[in-house]
Structures are given as structure tokens and as C-alpha cells.
């Protein structure tokens, strides 16, 4: 059963620490999205990739966030340094450019920054 | 810019009641429209979609019709179950832009 895998599922860290979240997209999917979900802001698109190339990261705070796809099986979202306002659930989703808009979401990484 | 607006929740219904969750959109072109559902503690799942005006998407008893004249894509179900309790997200997508734009989500709670 193909699915998007995210790690870690839960992370508690202290302000100023580096946080790295990882995502394994579904094999064969060529688009990868990172979303952040909070009660106040809802779902925000942070960044997305097509064929491993970043297409749009305008939703991401550039000074502390970075997103990469080192290879087709791994996407990473890094926060350095982390701040309490980064506390949220971070979702990765993957899709196929041929089935536009149909995304498969991971279960999310719940981040708490103290 | 393009956006999606949903009715505010939470929506609380009794089992077997009729459900409508309103969704309207603002778009400069001709997007595809989607409803996604998020069950507690999980990621979002695609519920249904419609790719052009007057298309009706349906799945698991839920339906939504793409209405270009009213820029709406309201979600309906004739008889809800407790297991339908979740957060529902309306979204639009442009093939050219390549990104899914979500509404704020509407929480549904169905009581036995």
C-alpha cells in the first residue's frame, strides 16, 4: 500500500535548535509539497518541487527555513534556528503531474518548540 | 489573487441529517476543484474532485457540483454518519501554477 512517509511523527525541541523533517514521497510521484498547519492560519503552503526542482518557496520564511530534495526518494524541511512560533504540524504531500491536484499526504510531523 | 472561502465551523449534526458545507472560490482562470477530508490525527485525503464547470464529483455518498456562475463547489451528503466527523477542506488547483490552494477547513461533528 503506497503512502507518503514522514519522520519524525513528533518532535519537541528548545528554541534555537535545528530541526530537520524528512519525507519519503510515493514511488513514481514527481511533485512534492510541504504544508504547515496551525489552528490560527490553517494550511499554508511552504514549498513545492517538481522533478526535484524547487518551483515555489514563497510561503517559507527564508531566513530560517530551507527545503531540499537530495534525491527522488527524499525531501527535507529544515528549520534553523527554531522558534516557538514554528510549532505546528508539518505535512508532506506527493503527487503526479499527470493527475493534477490529487495529492497524497503523509501523517504529518508535529513540532513543538519550547 | 486566487482564494477559497469555506463556511465556518464547527458544524454539529445528528446522525442521518443532511449536510451542506459551503465553498466559494476566487480565480482568474479555470481551476480544478477538490474536497479533501482530514480525520483526527491523520493527513488529508482526497474525497472528490471536479475538473470543469457543471462536473459533479462524488465519493462515499458525498457530492459537489462545480458551479462556474456562482463560483461555488458546495459539499453535500444526504445522511451523515458518526464516522464522517472530520475536517473538510475545499481546494482549487491550476495545472499551470501547479499548486493546491486550500480553504481554511470546516470541522464537522456528527452526534449519534
Amino acid at each position: 500500500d503506497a503512502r507518503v512517509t514522514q519522520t519524525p511523527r513528533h518532535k519537541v525541541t528548545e528554541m534555537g535548535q535545528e530541526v530537520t523533517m524528512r519525507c519519503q514521497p510515493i514511488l513514481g510521484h514527481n511533485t512534492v509539497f510541504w504544508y504547515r498547519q496551525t489552528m490560527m492560519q490553517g494550511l499554508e503552503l511552504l514549498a513545492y518541487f517538481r522533478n526535484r526542482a524547487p518551483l515555489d518557496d514563497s510561503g517559507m520564511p527564508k531566513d530560517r527555513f530551507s527545503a531540499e530534495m537530495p534525491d527522488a526518494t527524499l525531501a527535507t524541511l529544515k528549520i534553523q534556528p527554531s522558534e516557538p512560533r514554528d510549532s505546528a504540524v508539518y505535512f508532506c504531500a506527493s503527487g503526479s503531474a499527470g493527475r493534477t491536484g490529487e495529492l497524497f499526504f503523509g501523517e504529518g510531523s508535529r513540532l513543538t518548540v519550547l | 489573487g486566487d482564494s477559497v472561502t469555506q463556511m465556518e465551523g464547527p458544524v454539529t449534526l445528528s446522525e442521518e441529517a443532511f449536510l451542506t458545507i459551503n465553498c466559494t472560490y476566487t480565480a482568474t482562470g479555470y481551476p480544478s476543484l477538490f474536497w479533501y477530508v482530514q480525520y483526527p490525527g491523520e493527513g488529508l485525503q482526497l474525497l472528490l474532485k471536479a475538473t470543469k464547470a457543471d462536473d459533479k464529483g462524488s465519493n462515499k455518498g458525498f457530492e459537489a457540483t462545480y458551479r462556474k456562475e456562482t463560483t461555488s463547489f458546495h459539499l453535500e451528503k444526504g445522511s451523515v454518519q458518526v464516522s464522517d466527523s472530520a475536517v473538510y477542506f475545499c481546494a482549487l488547483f491550476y495545472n499551470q501554477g501547479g499548486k493546491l490552494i486550500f480553504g481554511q477547513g470546516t470541522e464537522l461533528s456528527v452526534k449519534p
Side-chain angles (χ1 to χ4, degrees):
Chain A
D1 188 23
R3 58 180 181 156
V4 175
T5 303
Q6 289 187 246
T7 56
R9 290 295 314 279
H10 302 274
K11 175 74 174 179
V12 180
T13 191
E14 293 190 347
M15 183 173 62
Q17 296 298 304
E18 177 180 302
V19 175
T20 299
M21 289 168 274
R22 294 177 173 81
C23 168
Q24 182 176 5
I26 291 173
L27 191 63
H29 283 183
N30 62 346
T31 60
V32 173
F33 296 73
W34 283 104
Y35 286 90
R36 175 169 64 183
Q37 186 177 37
T38 61
M39 290 293 291
M40 293 300 294
Q41 301 295 328
L43 269 172
E44 302 173 273
L45 177 64
L46 298 176
Y48 74 102
F49 297 77
R50 182 179 293 174
N51 297 322
R52 294 177 55 203
L55 289 193
D56 187 346
D57 60 2
S58 58
M60 211 162 60
K62 298 292 189 304
D63 55 337
R64 299 183 298 108
F65 284 60
S66 62
E68 296 180 345
M69 278 201 75
D71 60 61
T73 65
L74 177 64
T76 63
L77 180 67
K78 188 177 294 186
I79 308 173
Q80 168 63 18
S82 57
E83 297 181 1
R85 59 180 168 152
D86 301 329
S87 298
V89 181
Y90 291 81
F91 286 103
C92 174
S94 71
S96 170
R99 296 183 67 81
T100 53
E102 295 184 29
L103 297 185
F104 292 77
F105 281 75
E107 294 184 310
S109 294
R110 180 176 293 277
L111 173 65
T112 302
V113 183
L114 302 175
Chain B
D2 301 326
S3 65
V4 176
T5 302
Q6 296 178 227
M7 66 187 284
E8 288 203 18
V11 173
T12 303
L13 296 174
S14 298
E15 209 165 20
E16 299 185 3
F18 185 86
L19 168 71
T20 300
I21 299 178
N22 290 339
C23 169
T24 57
Y25 66 90
T26 302
T28 52
Y30 303 98
S32 297
L33 300 175
F34 298 81
W35 278 100
Y36 279 78
V37 59
Q38 183 179 28
Y39 298 102
E42 299 183 10
L44 281 71
Q45 304 173 25
L46 177 64
L47 181 59
L48 54 84
K49 69 173 184 177
T51 58
K52 61 183 188 296
D54 300 325
D55 266 3
K56 178 186 283 189
S58 61
N59 186 26
K60 299 181 181 180
F62 291 89
E63 293 183 339
T65 301
Y66 190 161
R67 302 280 188 206
K68 186 164 172 285
E69 63 276 12
T70 54
T71 62
S72 65
F73 192 55
H74 304 322
L75 182 68
E76 296 182 338
K77 187 175 185 183
S79 176
V80 293
Q81 305 301 311
V82 172
S83 57
D84 294 326
S85 298
V87 181
Y88 292 81
F89 292 88
C90 185
L92 67 81
F93 182 90
Y94 284 111
N95 197 23
Q96 307 93 300
K99 57 185 179 182
L100 203 54
I101 298 171
F102 286 97
Q104 71 271 36
T106 302
E107 182 182 356
L108 170 66
S109 177
V110 180
K111 305 296 184 188

